[in-house]
Amino acid sequence: MASEVPPVYIGLKGIYVAKTALSYIDGERGRLIYRGYSIEDLAEHSSFEEVTYLLWFGKLPNRKELEEFKENLSREREIPDDVVDILRKLPKSSHPMDVLKTGVAALGPFDPDLPNIWGQHIHEKRTENLRIAIRILSKMPTIMAYFHRMREGKEIVRPRTDLSHAANFLYMMWGREPKEIEAKLMDVALILHADHGFNASTFACLVTASTLSDLYSAVVTGISTLKGPLHGGANEQALKMLMEIGSPERARDYVKAKLERKERIMGFGHRVYKAYDPRARILKKYAEMLAKETGQENLFNTALEVEKVMIELLGKKGIFPNVDFYSGQVYHMLGIPTDIFTPIFAISRTSGWIGHVFEYWEENVLIRPRALYVGPMEAKYIPLDERL
Ligand code: SDX
């Protein structure tokens, strides 16, 4: 009897490959929770530091725990001078995601804990891995801000320890302390992007971590994966599209022409959400507020029209705005350069990537799926001179 042909799930669509308690996405109802807390509550009341603590340690910290965690993070913001020199050597035209990937990879060899932890499970080297996790999370904003200042020909701005994670990033980017609303918006964006189940970049991190490689290697995998326009890179492309459309009146024809060419509208659709992405709903509110404050209503109204047309045409297929559709508008109106949008996503998602690695390492299993072989079962070797 011919052996059963096993089912093949291209792209692992709808396939569960592990259990997690970090976050849950209700794709039908458009809900997102981190360890039971709604993303709406966390965006309104929490901070990125508090959310990271929740993702890594499984509970919201009390005041003492939070203050200690924030101090451990802020103390690790500076990067070695040799890594600063490496950033200086990169072409100023480099894409910031490539710089972030290079910077994190360069941090590894300077980390005193790295040589004696790789190849070990989290519970054998928990303290060392936690120190490494804090260094990676704290240094990524510095890598990004330093490179941005270098490519603009400006002096780098050293990190401060008295500002929040979000505020310090903006301070190092701009050379001035952010206004309260600017820091709040950045903090909300970091909270919203912190975790999202087994998205492509998180899963990629786990493939690396499941071989008992190290956290630097896992995060470099995550950054490399997030860069793609089907994933984190969509926020940059979505804003470029809105700029190209230029006005609400042109939105309908633009979207219809793109769809007729079978092209994707960036910032829409999702593998899990078949409803409005709750993160997009929160960011949309801030985008509207910023548009009024910065006189960029045309950009926001253009987005509203694109959203209206897309839901009219593809809503019945479960295609709605995702987080990337409004995040780019908020960053743009904050004055963040477009090519820094996805790095901000990576700076935030490193919290979720590391949280998932810690969780998966608890009962680590090497991730190694199968591929159904469809090639010839035998072939006769022909010497080179006898080949046609
Ligand atoms: C993120 O996974 C996560 O959680 C990711 C993320 C996170 O927090 O980590 O939420 C962040 O990556 C959000 C997604 C950002 N990407 C984009 O906005 C890129 C545009 N989106 C699409 O490429 C698409 O929606 C995906 C890739 C996000 C998901 O696509 P799927 O699940 O693989 O579905 P599919 O590509 O098979 O599409 C199903 C149908 C197709 O039409 P048919 O061939 O059936 O006729 O829907 C169509 C697609 O053409 N479709 C779109 C569309 N998205 C899906 N058509 C036009 N524009 C789109 N954006």
Side-chain angles (χ1 to χ4, degrees):
M1 183 182 79
S3 59
E4 281 285 296
V5 176
V8 175
Y9 302 98
I10 303 282
L12 292 178
K13 281 191 175 186
I15 298 295
Y16 291 83
V17 295
K19 294 175 185 167
T20 180
L22 263 73
S23 58
Y24 171 66
I25 306 165
D26 181 336
E28 296 312 315
R29 291 193 292 161
R31 285 186 63 233
L32 171 61
I33 56 176
Y34 293 167
R35 292 203 190 270
Y37 298 91
S38 79
I39 197 66
E40 291 79 8
D41 276 353
L42 293 171
E44 187 174 345
H45 305 297
S46 185
S47 67
F48 178 66
E49 290 90 332
E50 188 174 73
V51 163
T52 298
Y53 191 100
L54 173 66
L55 292 172
W56 290 6
F57 303 109
K59 72 177 190 78
L60 285 177
N62 61 32
R63 185 171 296 280
K64 179 175 176 298
E65 289 163 335
L66 180 59
E67 287 316 308
E68 191 182 322
F69 189 57
K70 282 162 68 173
E71 202 190 307
N72 288 340
L73 286 168
S74 61
R75 250 203 320 255
E76 286 287 1
R77 288 172 174 166
E78 191 48 281
I79 61 177
D81 287 343
D82 291 332
V83 175
V84 178
D85 292 344
I86 290 169
L87 296 180
R88 281 195 202 286
K89 292 209 180 333
L90 297 177
K92 289 188 172 28
S93 59
S94 308
H95 191 292
M97 283 296 274
D98 296 334
V99 173
L100 196 54
K101 174 174 61 181
T102 307
V104 171
L107 285 174
F110 294 93
D111 188 317
D113 283 316
L114 189 57
N116 57 14
I117 58 102
W118 72 274
Q120 315 261 338
H121 283 258
I122 179 77
H123 31 271
E124 289 158 14
K125 294 281 181 179
R126 182 180 298 278
T127 312
E128 292 85 341
N129 273 303
L130 188 53
R131 278 201 297 261
I132 289 175
I134 286 170
R135 287 178 190 130
I136 295 171
L137 190 76
S138 300
K139 294 174 185 329
M140 283 175 74
T142 308
I143 290 167
M144 206 63 293
Y146 278 14
F147 174 73
H148 177 63
R149 303 280 297 184
M150 290 168 184
R151 72 174 179 178
E152 293 208 325
K154 294 175 182 166
E155 281 302 305
I156 59 175
V157 175
R158 299 282 175 185
R160 282 173 45 178
T161 57
D162 60 331
L163 296 173
S164 72
H165 196 82
N168 177 63
F169 171 58
L170 294 176
Y171 168 72
M172 294 190 293
M173 284 282 290
W174 294 338
R176 66 165 174 85
E177 242 181 81
K179 297 182 201 129
E180 199 176 318
I181 183 61
E182 291 169 330
K184 170 67 181 168
L185 285 176
M186 180 51 67
D187 195 40
V188 167
L190 295 179
I191 290 169
L192 294 177
H193 287 84
D195 195 49
H196 212 240
F198 272 24
N199 57 85
S201 53
T202 297
F203 183 66
C205 286
L206 290 179
V207 172
T208 299
S210 76
T211 69
L212 296 188
S213 182
D214 62 278
L215 282 175
Y216 284 101
S217 303
V219 171
V220 167
T221 305
I223 297 169
S224 308
T225 307
L226 188 69
K227 179 183 176 187
L230 292 188
H231 189 13
N235 53 22
E236 186 177 337
Q237 303 305 323
L239 184 86
K240 283 178 181 164
M241 173 187 71
L242 293 172
M243 297 291 196
E244 205 173 286
I245 294 172
S247 72
E249 295 71 27
R250 297 182 58 228
R252 180 171 294 274
D253 290 347
Y254 181 99
V255 167
K256 290 180 82 167
K258 217 169 162 62
L259 293 178
E260 269 148 33
R261 294 193 300 270
K262 288 281 179 216
E263 290 172 17
R264 298 291 173 97
I265 308 293
M266 294 293 122
F268 284 84
H270 199 275
R271 176 63 57 79
V272 180
Y273 288 122
K274 301 310 168 194
Y276 210 108
D277 183 334
R279 301 166 298 175
R281 206 180 289 284
I282 295 169
L283 287 166
K284 178 179 179 179
K285 187 181 67 179
Y286 286 117
E288 183 171 23
M289 179 196 76
L290 275 175
K292 288 195 180 86
E293 280 187 12
T294 60
Q296 300 186 68
E297 289 92 337
N298 181 62
L299 174 68
F300 182 71
N301 292 333
T302 302
L304 284 185
E305 195 57 26
V306 168
E307 173 182 326
K308 182 165 159 260
V309 173
M310 277 295 283
I311 293 176
E312 189 187 297
L313 297 176
L314 295 176
K316 51 192 170 303
K317 281 177 79 171
I319 294 173
F320 291 87
N322 60 51
V323 67
D324 290 299
F325 188 56
Y326 284 104
S327 58
Q329 294 169 58
V330 169
Y331 299 148
H332 173 71
M333 291 189 268
L334 276 177
I336 305 261
T338 307
D339 61 6
I340 302 280
F341 293 0
T342 310
I344 292 171
F345 195 152
I347 284 167
S348 165
R349 186 55 56 87
T350 297
S351 170
W353 290 337
I354 290 174
H356 277 286
V357 169
F358 282 169
E359 181 184 60
Y360 191 80
W361 267 344
E362 287 300 332
E363 295 171 23
N364 191 66
V365 173
L366 175 70
I367 297 174
R368 196 274 184 225
R370 299 288 302 275
L372 180 65
Y373 178 70
V374 293
M377 289 313 283
E378 57 184 79
K380 187 173 176 339
Y381 189 79
I382 312 288
L384 182 57
D385 296 334
E386 295 173 25
R387 293 175 205 159
L388 302 176

